[in-house]
Amino acid sequence: MSTNTTEQRRAEIAAKKARLAEIKRRNQERQQSLSIQRRSTELNEVTAPLPRSYADRRSLEDLVNVLIGDRPSSTGPGAMKSSRSNSVMSGADSNFSDSASPTIMSPGVAMTPDSTPTPNQLNLQHMSIAPLTITYDAPPSPVREVVTYSKEVQTSEAWTGPDDEEGDDGFESRSRRTDEELREQIRKEIEEELRELHADEQQQNGNSGLDSNGGFFARELTDEERAAITASEDFVDFIERSSKVVERALDMEYDVLADYGLGMNAEDEEQSGRKIKEIAQFYDERWSKKRMISDINYSPKFPELLLASYTKNPSAPHDPDGLVLVWNMHMHDRPEYVFHAQSDVLTARFSPFHPNLIVGGAYSGQVLLWDTRAKSQPVLKTPLTGSGHTHPVYSVSVIGTQNANNILSCSTDGVVCGWTVDMLAQPQELLELITPPPSKTDDLSPTCMAFPHSDPTYFLVGTEEGTIYPCHRYDRAGAKAGVEPRISYKGHAGPVMSVDFHPVRGPVDLGDLVLSSSVDWSVKLWKARPPAATTSSASGSPQIATPILEFSREDVVYDAAWSPVKPGMFGLVDGAGQLEIWDITVDTEVPVAKAQPSSRVGATHLTKGLNKLAWEEHDGKRVAVGGLDGTVTVFEVAIDPPRNEEWASVKRLVSRAELGNNSIIAAGK
């Protein structure tokens, strides 16, 4: 606090002490005046006794005069009512009323109630006393006063306001104030103090605190301060989260301008007649440019989320080589999450038991684990040296139950590893797959892997040579862990690109049906036999299974997958950029629907090929595809709810195909 403020405070304290001394002096004078008046009254009563009624009346009036001061004369004889005066008057200024009013006589003059004194007998007694001043302690205001202080001045006014010196009139006027008037006064006082405060800051800093309209605003930040704020991690995270919420909220699929009184237009009729239509397309100029999509997968918990893994961008050496982008159906312009990897990501999957975890396989042979609650880097990854994969990992799967699940991965060097989710430093399982005899080489290069829904200890692998082999994770009766030597599935003339077991969701068990796609321009349907039902031929030679149905196409087929809801429906994508939907209960020669993603600006015919496909598992009406141009396209398939007879129809179709085509032949025949 400055010196001037200290001196002002001392002066205010001294003024208050003087005022208290004046109040004490006035109280003493008032007490003395009252005592003198009381003694004079007693003396008059002793020397000139009055009638009892008059004495009682006089005592009452004296008591009232002591309490509230002199009153005006009564309105009639014997009247006791009086109105309170608005000011304090001395006893000498009082006016006498008519003859019925009491009269004060001098000592020695006797008077009876019936007699009237003559003017020469009257000797009025005038008492000269000090003016009587009554000081009222003002009651508290009906609204609590809000006192604010500035930085430098604690008290800018005297402690007593002007109302304290106005007597009764000031008290009555303040008591009549309404709450609104008090609030308005408080608001004006606060605004005045704020103006003074900003004026002081303006003088100290040289910056104006008021705009042209008189409003207050924060001072303008410098370029360095703005850069520091916008570069902070908290600010970036806040903007990222908030903008995503706003974008998802703005994505309204409901047409608020729909006119229900009008019919459908030509475009609506065309869309309603189509069995498949494009509903969304995801491409980010920053991350998707010049990258190829290597895998697509829908979230098992959140149907609106799907991920896509990408290879490196040759023209951006400083960007991460591998990416996993999580897209949201309600936010088309940018991904929900961006995850990085030091090598090309060849495959990625959502964990069905941990919705926040994403498992991926890299070209470097690493198995990576990302968490949507963490940053863009992997939370866990396998080491580049030591036990594990040393070749590219093209397939990963998360199998098991909620309480006991594992990550299974296979690489092109013929190694299948099992990992636990919380520890990727060393594999818990390690299988080296070797081609069974009578093959001329032991090398086996898996390109894809698939597990049945009923048996997590048994799986199929598709290889670069075109053969599909069943494998065991553990030793069992009659077979050891590794490739099952008693049977193999041969029918493709080129590398197998995908293997997919039929999902079991109906009254008939179709879990042994397997779809496979290959670069030999075909998709084949197999009936896989469980290892327990597999037997060797009489000569001891391994059995060779052939496909029961074959779907020849006009281009390289990169991926094929069963529909999760319709028993006879599956989808495939080819190198020509076509998505085809097939239903074997309807036709086995031609697809029931086909579509092609809309061309992006700048795309060429060399980048329109599609290599991955994924169905949304909840309702099975959406299918996502991706390819060489880095664009993820989502289509909606118009399908009817599955009927029970469809399952039986598929079962009968498979039985007829098996009878018409001897699908198992002995080696050498």
Side-chain angles (χ1 to χ4, degrees), residues 21-37 39 128-134:
E22 179 66 18
I23 293 174
K24 290 181 180 179
R25 185 183 64 78
R26 290 182 181 180
N27 291 336
Q28 292 177 358
E29 291 178 357
R30 184 180 63 182
Q31 292 178 0
Q32 292 177 0
S33 300
L34 291 176
S35 62
I36 293 172
Q37 185 178 3
R39 285 197 299 270
S128 177
I129 61 176
L132 181 61
T133 302
I134 300 176

Side-chain angles (χ1 to χ4, degrees), residues 369-428:
L369 187 67
W370 296 277
D371 195 331
T372 57
R373 299 163 294 186
K375 301 300 181 182
S376 59
Q377 298 298 329
V379 294
L380 287 176
K381 57 183 177 180
T382 59
L384 290 173
T385 59
S387 58
H389 298 292
T390 57
H391 282 59
V393 178
Y394 279 96
S395 181
V396 294
S397 298
V398 182
I399 60 172
T401 61
Q402 182 67 43
N403 297 325
N405 52 80
N406 297 94
I407 301 172
L408 271 294
S409 60
C410 71
S411 58
T412 55
D413 59 350
V415 175
V416 176
C417 295
W419 315 83
T420 57
V421 177
D422 55 350
M423 199 272 288
L424 297 181
Q426 187 174 0
Q428 303 298 312

Side-chain angles (χ1 to χ4, degrees), residues 351-506:
S351 173
F353 311 107
H354 307 279
N356 299 109
L357 300 183
I358 297 174
V359 182
Y363 185 80
S364 62
Q366 290 179 295
V367 177
L368 310 173
L369 187 67
W370 296 277
D371 195 331
T372 57
R373 299 163 294 186
K375 301 300 181 182
S376 59
Q377 298 298 329
V379 294
L380 287 176
K381 57 183 177 180
T382 59
L384 290 173
T385 59
S387 58
H389 298 292
T390 57
H391 282 59
V393 178
Y394 279 96
S395 181
V396 294
S397 298
V398 182
I399 60 172
T401 61
Q402 182 67 43
N403 297 325
N405 52 80
N406 297 94
I407 301 172
L408 271 294
S409 60
C410 71
S411 58
T412 55
D413 59 350
V415 175
V416 176
C417 295
W419 315 83
T420 57
V421 177
D422 55 350
M423 199 272 288
L424 297 181
Q426 187 174 0
Q428 303 298 312
E429 305 175 26
L430 182 62
L431 290 177
E432 293 185 3
L433 304 182
I434 301 175
T435 306
S439 177
K440 298 178 181 180
T441 176
D442 294 340
D443 295 336
L444 189 147
S445 298
T447 56
C448 53
M449 176 176 57
F451 282 83
H453 296 272
S454 59
D455 188 2
T457 65
Y458 156 68
F459 60 96
L460 295 178
V461 292
T463 62
E464 291 181 351
E465 66 182 70
T467 306
I468 301 174
Y469 293 100
C471 303
H472 305 283
R473 290 178 59 188
Y474 311 108
D475 293 339
R476 63 175 65 206
K480 294 184 178 180
V483 177
E484 169 60 55
R486 293 175 291 181
I487 189 172
S488 59
Y489 303 89
K490 293 184 179 181
H492 287 294
V496 180
M497 304 306 298
S498 68
V499 180
D500 187 38
F501 273 93
H502 192 286
V504 181
R505 288 190 177 183

Side-chain angles (χ1 to χ4, degrees), residues 221-236:
L221 300 177
T222 63
D223 295 339
E224 292 79 6
E225 291 173 337
R226 285 196 297 267
I229 292 175
T230 55
S232 64
E233 185 176 354
D234 294 339
F235 180 81
V236 173

Side-chain angles (χ1 to χ4, degrees), residues 194 256 264 287 361 379 398 484 547 589 613:
L194 287 175
V256 296
M264 293 189 300
W287 299 113
V379 294
V398 182
E484 169 60 55
E589 299 293 334
L613 173 145

Side-chain angles (χ1 to χ4, degrees), residues 10 13 33 56 69 94 102 113 154 157 164 208 223 241 252 272 315 369 423 454 457 466 471 570 590 606 608 653 664:
R10 291 178 179 175
I13 294 175
S33 300
D56 295 338
S94 302
Q154 291 185 356
E157 298 179 347
D164 294 337
S208 176
D223 295 339
R241 293 193 307 270
M252 296 179 60
S272 62
S315 62
L369 187 67
M423 199 272 288
S454 59
T457 65
C471 303
F570 66 90
V590 294
L606 297 177
K608 69 178 183 179
L653 176 63
I664 299 180

Side-chain angles (χ1 to χ4, degrees), residues 75 100 157 259 404 443 472 546 548:
T75 57
E157 298 179 347
D259 189 353
D443 295 336
H472 305 283
T546 58
I548 58 177

